[in-house]
Amino acid sequence: MRAIALDRTSAKPVLRDDVAEPHLGAPDDLLIKVLEVGICGTDRAIVRGEAGELAPGADYQILGHEMLGEVVEAGPTAASDYATGDLVVCTVRRPCRLPECPTCAHGESDMCYTGKFTERGIFHAHGYMTSRVVESTEFTVKLPPELRPFGVLIEPTTVVEKAILESVRVQHRLDWVHHLNEEGAIAEDWRFVRRAMVAGAGPIGMMAAFLLRLHDVETHVTDVVPAGGYKAALVDSIGARYWNVAETPVAEVARQTGNIDLIVEATGIAPVAYELLTALGVNGVLVFTGVPGDRGGEFQFQGGHLMRQQVLWNQVVIGSVNANRSYFLHAVKDLGEIARRWPDALAKVITAHHPMENFETALTTQPKDEVKAVFDITPSS
Ligand code: BGC
């Protein structure tokens, strides 16, 4: 089988054709044909040597964690829920299963205490940029057939589902928010977010904007690309507003718009991320989703002013990584609604389809207007 992998010796991406076929092991396993895999900033960081880690002793690690696949065969237990031809997406992180980790035991490996988890395609485990994989139904969700063109966007969508739903939970500290929702469907109720800012018009930021607009939130997206360009036009087309922060700094955006209840950071650039505190409103929540490298990112800021504001305005800053299966289920539902409401705009999020042979260029360069580039692992016939 073919696979795009990171080679340990050369520390470079390679296209291998000698990867062994996987086989069903446990009764709830699925054999899955991989259709598409999205290219993420994390994949490019792995290739630059700035993220991820090969499993000890492994000569190579198959890359890719944003997958879309089709069931080829279901084990005897899995077969009660899955049939050949079903579209599926697999999660990324696998739990540590250590006795001292209550979150992993609870299906929340995204909140693992021990750090002894693995992540497919990133940390100590093979990813999905290969023809076929085997995965347990515990880490798989099913997609309706109409999501075939967009299914590869599920994983990036789960990152923002988690970021926003965590903020929703945090805002239940406010009694008026708590009272909005007597029925207890906490995760469904985004009404505390009356106005939101999304920093970064890449795939994570773009999916955040779609989710917020789906929930009728007034949404402001910031980036440094020109107003009137591809990404700005895409933002405008879903009823969000685009701001070029090279012209209007985020503090000024907030001054013009009014109290910002939620900011989703999707830049991965530390100075840009912390500057967002200057735009955060009273009782506001700022969620960081970008993962910068360890080096660089030094900056200076008015710490006294920002700390004073954070206390006097009851502000919360959350770091949010990965997504467990529950967020994948939310993403399947929401992406379905987004696809019905804005099919053309959603199609514009996927800006390039690459054959696997393009691995080197696709993993090392990023064209200016790229939002999400994907590898066609099994080209549709
Ligand atoms: C992935 C997450 C992962 C994180 C850190 C992100 O790109 O979407 O699943 O936890 O990288 O490895």
Side-chain angles (χ1 to χ4, degrees), residues 40 42 65 92-93 119 122 155 159 321-322:
C40 168
T42 300
H65 59 277
V92 181
R93 194 178 280 192
E119 285 185 340
I122 304 174
E155 197 279 338
V159 171
V321 69
N322 195 253

